[in-house]
Amino acid sequence: LAFPASRLFVHCDCFPEEFSIIVTLRVLGVPAKRNEYIFTLMAEESPSVLVGLRYAPHKLHFLFWSQERAGGWQTRVTFPNVSLSDNQWHTLILAVSGQSFSLTVDCSVPKDVMVETPFPAFLSVKRASFYLGNRRRRKGLFTGLLRQLILLPGADATPRICAAKNFKEATLSIPAVLQDLPAKPVSNEVLKYPYETDTKVTLGSRPPCTKQEKAQFWFNASRRGLYLCNGSTWISMLEVKQKLDYVEEYQNLVTNSETMGVEVFTIPKVGLFAATANRYTPPGSAIYKWTDGKFVPYQNIPTYQAQSWKYFTIGKKIFLAVANFEQNDRGQEFSVIYKWSRRKEKFIPYQRITTHSARDWEAFVIEGEAFLAVVNHREGNNHNIDSVIYRWNPRTGLFETNQTIPTSGAYDWEFFTIGPYSFLAVANTFNGTSTKIYSHIYIWLSGSFQLFQSILTFGAADWEVFRIGERVFLAVANSHSYDSGMPAPSNFYAINSSIYELNVTAQMFVKFQDLLTYSALDWEFFSVGDDSFLVVANSFDGFTFSVNSIIYRWQGYEGFVAAHHLPTVGCRDWEAFHTAEGSYLLYSSAKEPLSKVLKLKTT
């Protein structure tokens, strides 16, 4: 069965850019590993399929030829889990619009697929023919009954066909929508059809926004907001702006032992997790999974006075690195990188790296290459040692030493980018005699990090970079003031922590604001609606570990102003995270085996 395309495209020899295909068929059975063609559109002089629909066991493939690439290229859009070999009648509706392809089987929930190559805006059908149930040769002949095969302009056939109350009747009759289309244009007018393309809206937690999701919408139910993907970020189209009202205790998270750090991360298609860096071995550190609105134990990992975790990915590989502070029972001192096993759904050891009282890992990418930097705090009693930056070797699949940087009792790395430039800031804490020392910011130039700026700090434990509008800030958490050659202050721990702002003209960070803190060990930046916040981990005031940690609200010209005082015990680390149910803060306690999840209540 075949006919020239010119019989269908009377007034124009181009295939429509947006269209729907309706097929009602009854498949008698397809042998394994066999493909059968429902229809094809092929040029006379070429064996290539310009447009086609092909059925395989449990799959449906839509094929089209894209001439935008040099020499042309056939793109295959696959819809998995489409089972038609049950000897029953089925109606398929395929809607095509640009990079968006949607398949509806028997008016059920549509299967949506986004591909990198869009359906061509100009596909010539000159000297081409349609072939029904074949591709102009015996191989791939369709075996079954074909009731109707309809091509409609516009990618909105699904709501028009599936609006029928009696679906069975609709499947076996010519759709009424065909009767509404003009048969021919008036004079020289171009045919216009009254349709609008289906809008793709994703629900649930924040989905990825890449080129494949471009022009798709995401509805965030918890924030009551509608967002549009521009190919890289979600742009707010309609949102009820939330305001932080107060913070309430949500979950007491019992940990294996005191927790030095916590890392919250999401593994795609698996879930939300929190990894706690616990002090003692046994039992080691733990990973918790967010289940039914709570963190529940998921996996235990042997660690040695773990200080922090770092989650990162390289391509499709998922890793979690732990910074171990002490030696194991054999006297060996190393930190470990774990890799996520999709088969076991667990983290398994991947690479050991020799470290010296490691405090922190930082993962980052520069010019397409993956790096991992470790903070070495001390070796024996010597605090002035090298911290190391490792580069991923894709050939060996391992991290290899790339650069060493001298540090002094360092606690933290913080990587950030400004425009085309990459920076790495180190928090130096103690040089053996004083905590009043310089911490440094390095800039990536000519294949290595070079000193960019030095800032005087007092037992610096953390750097936090954040942006408010076009402004770039860098906050340091100062933990204590000690100098063996100077008289002791009245309080070592009541000390200002500072926020610096990038001065583009001076090409350096300048002090913006001082905030009184109590042995501050961490800053965490987060947003609620249009408001920006900083929460500090106050750990010790010189007398007690039961100290209020404070949430500061950004007040523009006033800077950051204290808004909420949160009772904490030996607070070591803060993590902000979001779920479909709302926004949360998780803090770890370095003085008791109990961390807390707090929920941000909004209005």
Side-chain angles (χ1 to χ4, degrees):
L1 294 175
F3 63 90
S6 59
R7 290 181 60 185
L8 196 61
F9 304 108
V10 178
H11 304 286
C12 179
D13 56 10
C14 289
F15 202 88
E17 184 179 357
E18 293 187 346
F19 58 91
S20 300
I21 295 173
I22 306 167
V23 185
T24 300
L25 47 69
R26 183 176 177 183
V27 178
L28 302 182
V30 179
K33 298 183 179 180
R34 178 171 174 176
N35 290 281
E36 296 187 352
Y37 288 85
I38 297 172
F39 84 91
T40 55
L41 174 64
M42 303 177 67
E44 291 181 6
E45 69 282 356
S46 173
S48 301
V49 174
L50 297 177
V51 181
L53 198 59
R54 188 175 74 195
Y55 175 68
H58 309 295
K59 292 181 181 178
L60 191 74
H61 305 289
F62 176 67
L63 314 172
F64 64 89
W65 188 261
S66 177
Q67 294 167 321
E68 296 175 3
R69 302 191 180 187
W73 188 268
Q74 189 173 85
T75 298
R76 181 178 67 187
V77 181
T78 300
F79 296 94
N81 303 319
V82 178
S83 183
L84 305 177
S85 303
D86 55 2
N87 202 24
Q88 301 293 320
W89 285 104
H90 297 284
T91 293
L92 315 180
I93 304 173
L94 175 68
V96 177
S97 175
Q99 296 173 292
S100 174
F101 300 81
S102 178
L103 177 69
T104 304
V105 180
D106 297 334
C107 288
S108 60
V109 178
K111 297 177 181 289
D112 296 325
V113 175
M114 295 290 292
V115 298
E116 183 178 351
T117 305
F119 191 85
F122 180 86
L123 180 62
S124 175
V125 295
K126 282 184 178 179
R127 301 177 64 189
S129 295
F130 281 95
Y131 297 88
L132 306 186
N134 68 93
R135 59 161 299 176
R136 205 167 59 196
R137 60 184 183 184
R138 294 188 61 84
K139 185 178 180 181
L141 286 174
F142 175 71
T143 54
L145 303 176
L146 197 60
R147 174 64 181 83
Q148 62 181 0
L149 176 61
I150 301 167
L151 174 67
L152 282 177
D156 64 339
T158 303
R160 304 171 78 177
I161 300 301
C162 294
K165 293 182 179 180
N166 187 343
F167 173 69
K168 201 67 179 177
E169 180 181 339
T171 61
L172 299 178
S173 60
I174 303 301
V177 67
L178 287 179
Q179 303 171 11
D180 300 332
L181 301 179
K184 59 183 180 179
V186 179
S187 66
N188 291 326
E189 290 183 18
V190 176
L191 278 173
K192 296 181 179 179
Y193 302 100
Y195 70 87
E196 292 183 2
T197 302
D198 278 348
T199 300
K200 302 295 185 297
V201 180
T202 302
L203 301 176
S205 57
R206 178 184 291 265
C209 175
T210 64
K211 290 181 179 179
Q212 290 189 344
E213 288 81 25
K214 188 175 182 179
Q216 287 197 36
F217 285 95
W218 164 50
F219 181 72
N220 186 337
S222 64
R223 297 191 177 187
R224 293 173 287 176
L226 183 66
Y227 303 85
L228 174 67
C229 176
N230 66 357
S232 60
T233 58
W234 290 103
I235 306 299
S236 174
M237 305 298 292
L238 179 66
E239 182 179 16
V240 176
K241 299 299 182 182
Q242 293 182 317
K243 293 283 187 180
L244 177 59
D245 189 15
Y246 62 94
V247 180
E248 71 173 3
E249 186 172 314
Y250 182 78
Q251 180 186 3
N252 284 325
L253 185 64
V254 178
T255 53
N256 291 344
S257 58
E258 296 91 329
T259 303
M260 310 305 291
V262 63
E263 176 87 340
V264 177
F265 55 92
T266 299
I267 298 179
K269 299 182 181 179
V270 181
L272 177 73
F273 295 85
T276 57
N278 297 116
R279 185 174 182 180
Y280 293 118
T281 297
S285 297
I287 298 174
Y288 302 84
K289 185 178 182 182
W290 188 262
T291 306
D292 296 328
K294 301 281 185 179
F295 280 118
V296 298
Y298 185 81
Q299 181 182 358
N300 268 326
I301 294 179
T303 55
Y304 302 93
Q305 204 170 130
Q307 300 294 300
S308 65
W309 288 98
K310 186 63 183 180
Y311 171 86
F312 62 98
T313 61
I314 300 176
K316 295 183 179 179
K317 298 181 178 67
I318 296 172
F319 297 99
L320 191 62
V322 64
N324 284 323
F325 193 74
E326 294 292 346
Q327 300 175 348
N328 64 7
D329 49 10
R330 297 180 181 178
Q332 301 167 318
E333 188 174 353
F334 54 81
S335 294
V336 184
I337 302 169
Y338 294 85
K339 182 175 180 288
W340 176 257
S341 168
R342 288 180 169 83
R343 182 177 63 86
K344 296 181 179 179
E345 291 197 337
K346 300 281 186 182
F347 283 100
I348 57 177
Y350 183 79
Q351 183 180 356
R352 289 183 176 183
I353 294 180
T354 299
T355 53
H356 302 288
S357 297
R359 287 283 191 184
D360 181 53
W361 285 105
E362 180 73 322
F364 50 91
V365 175
I366 299 177
E367 298 171 357
E369 290 193 281
F371 294 85
L372 191 62
V374 67
V375 163
N376 287 322
H377 182 69
R378 59 175 168 82
E379 188 173 1
N381 292 323
N382 182 19
H383 290 79
N384 300 301
I385 60 174
D386 286 341
S387 291
V388 187
I389 300 169
Y390 300 89
R391 185 196 302 258
W392 173 259
N393 186 331
R395 183 178 58 83
T396 62
L398 296 172
F399 282 100
E400 300 172 354
T401 301
N402 181 72
Q403 183 181 357
T404 59
I405 294 180
T407 54
S408 298
Y411 251 73
D412 178 57
W413 283 118
E414 178 81 348
F415 175 82
F416 57 97
T417 59
I418 300 174
Y421 299 104
S422 298
F423 297 87
L424 191 62
V426 64
N428 284 326
T429 307
F430 183 59
N431 64 4
T433 60
S434 176
T435 63
K436 184 182 178 181
I437 56 177
Y438 282 95
S439 292
H440 304 293
I441 303 170
Y442 298 88
I443 185 172
W444 179 267
L445 292 174
S446 304
S448 66
F449 283 104
Q450 301 179 28
L451 183 62
F452 173 77
Q453 183 180 352
S454 298
I455 296 176
L456 186 64
T457 54
F458 300 84
D462 178 63
W463 284 109
E464 176 83 353
V465 68
F466 57 93
R467 291 168 170 82
I468 299 177
E470 298 298 320
R471 303 168 69 174
V472 181
F473 296 90
L474 193 59
V476 64
N478 287 323
S479 64
H480 61 290
S481 177
Y482 169 78
D483 192 324
S484 60
M486 298 293 291
S490 58
N491 192 326
F492 290 100
Y493 306 98
I495 183 173
N496 282 336
S497 291
S498 302
I499 301 170
Y500 298 84
E501 182 179 6
L502 177 67
N503 185 313
V504 178
T505 303
Q507 295 187 348
M508 63 185 297
F509 285 92
V510 297
K511 185 176 288 188
F512 172 78
Q513 184 179 4
D514 282 329
L515 294 169
L516 180 62
T517 54
Y518 297 91
S519 192
L521 297 178
D522 182 56
W523 284 108
E524 179 78 359
F525 177 80
F526 63 96
S527 299
V528 177
D530 287 336
D531 295 329
S532 300
F533 298 90
L534 268 178
V535 59
V536 66
N538 285 326
S539 64
F540 184 60
D541 65 1
F543 307 97
T544 178
F545 293 102
S546 297
V547 186
N548 283 342
S549 292
I550 299 175
I551 296 177
Y552 297 89
R553 184 196 302 270
W554 171 253
Q555 295 287 108
Y557 184 72
E558 299 174 72
F560 283 93
V561 177
H564 301 276
H565 296 71
L566 310 177
T568 54
V569 178
C571 186
R572 180 63 182 85
D573 194 15
W574 283 103
E575 282 280 278
F577 65 96
H578 307 278
T579 72
E581 292 77 31
S583 300
Y584 303 84
L585 290 173
L586 168 61
Y587 98 82
S588 66
S589 171
K591 289 299 172 181
E592 60 180 6
L594 183 70
S595 295
K596 290 182 183 289
V597 180
L598 309 177
K599 188 169 186 178
L600 305 181
K601 304 298 288 185
T602 58
T603 58

